Amino acid sequence: MTTPTTETIDVPSVDNGIDLDALLEAREALTADPAAAAFVWTATCEWVNGTHSRTTIEPYYGLGEHHQHRQAFVIDGDHPQTFASEDNGATPTEIALAALAGCLTAGVASVATRRGIQLRRVTAVVEGDLDARGVIGADPDVRNGFGGIRVRFDIDADASRDELAAVVSQSQKRSAVYDALTNPTAVTVGLA
C-alpha cells in the first residue's frame, strides 16, 4: 500500500492569506488517518425574547479531541419588524445565506492560492427566494425553505474569467455548506 503524498506542482507564489503548505499537510494527514477527519461542530442557541435568539459557537471536536475556538462567537438571530418582531439580529435564513457565502468565499481563497492566483478582491452576493406563507402556516402547500438560492461572485484577480470560473466551481465542489443545502442531510430534532 502506498502512502499518499502531497502533489508537487509549480505555482507562482501568491499571498491570499492561506497557509498552503499547512493545508496540504492537513489533507495528507487526514487522508492517512480518516478517523481524525471526523469533526463535530456545535452551536448552542438560547431564546432571549419573542423571536430573538442568541447562538454561541465555541467547542468543537476533531483530530480525536475536543477544542475551543480562540474566542466564543455569538450570533443574534431575530426577525424584522415587518414580521412583528424586534429586528435584533439577522433572520436565521439570512444566517444560512451568510454561512454559504463564507464557506464558498473561503474555498475561493484556498483554491486560488493552490492554483497560484493572486486575489485582490472577492465579493459574493447571495440571494435566497423564500415564500413566507409556508413559514407562517398560511398555505400548507408552500415550502418552508428556500425555493432557490443564487450566488454571484465578483472577483478581481490575476487570472482570466475562465480560470476564475474554475476556481469558483472547485470551491462549490468542496463546500460543506453548499453540500448541506443541496443534498439531503439527516437532521434529528427532539428534547434533551
Side-chain angles (χ1 to χ4, degrees):
M1 177 177 207
T2 61
T3 303
T5 59
T6 304
E7 300 171 33
T8 304
I9 58 173
D10 289 327
V11 296
S13 178
V14 296
D15 183 6
N16 293 328
I18 300 292
D19 185 340
L20 186 59
D21 290 336
L23 191 60
L24 294 174
E25 287 172 14
R27 182 172 77 175
E28 186 174 319
L30 295 178
T31 300
D33 184 7
F39 277 71
V40 177
W41 304 100
T42 304
T44 303
C45 184
E46 294 183 358
W47 172 68
V48 177
N49 188 40
T51 57
H52 183 195
S53 64
R54 183 164 294 128
T55 302
T56 303
I57 300 166
E58 171 109 41
Y60 65 95
Y61 178 87
L63 305 176
E65 60 186 88
H66 294 277
H67 301 274
Q68 296 288 116
H69 287 284
R70 289 186 312 158
Q71 66 183 33
F73 298 101
V74 178
I75 302 169
D76 279 88
D78 202 353
H79 291 86
Q81 292 174 338
T82 55
F83 287 109
S85 292
E86 297 296 320
D87 207 11
N88 290 307
T91 67
T93 51
E94 291 167 318
I95 294 167
L97 295 178
L100 177 60
C103 193
L104 288 171
T105 301
V108 165
S110 297
V111 174
T113 300
R114 176 78 165 121
R115 295 182 182 189
I117 297 171
Q118 180 63 55
L119 300 171
R120 286 184 289 281
R121 181 184 42 76
V122 178
T123 303
V125 176
V126 184
E127 298 173 322
D129 302 322
L130 188 136
D131 186 333
R133 293 177 300 164
V135 177
I136 64 171
D139 186 339
D141 294 326
V142 173
R143 182 178 175 196
N144 294 342
F146 291 113
I149 297 174
R150 293 169 303 286
V151 181
R152 289 184 322 273
F153 275 98
D154 182 9
I155 302 173
D156 181 14
D158 293 334
S160 70
R161 184 172 179 83
D162 287 345
E163 290 169 321
L164 294 176
V167 167
V168 169
S169 178
Q170 183 65 21
S171 173
Q172 175 183 332
K173 183 178 177 182
R174 291 285 155 241
S175 170
V177 178
Y178 177 86
D179 181 83
L181 288 172
T182 60
N183 290 299
T185 299
V187 178
T188 57
V189 179
L191 293 173

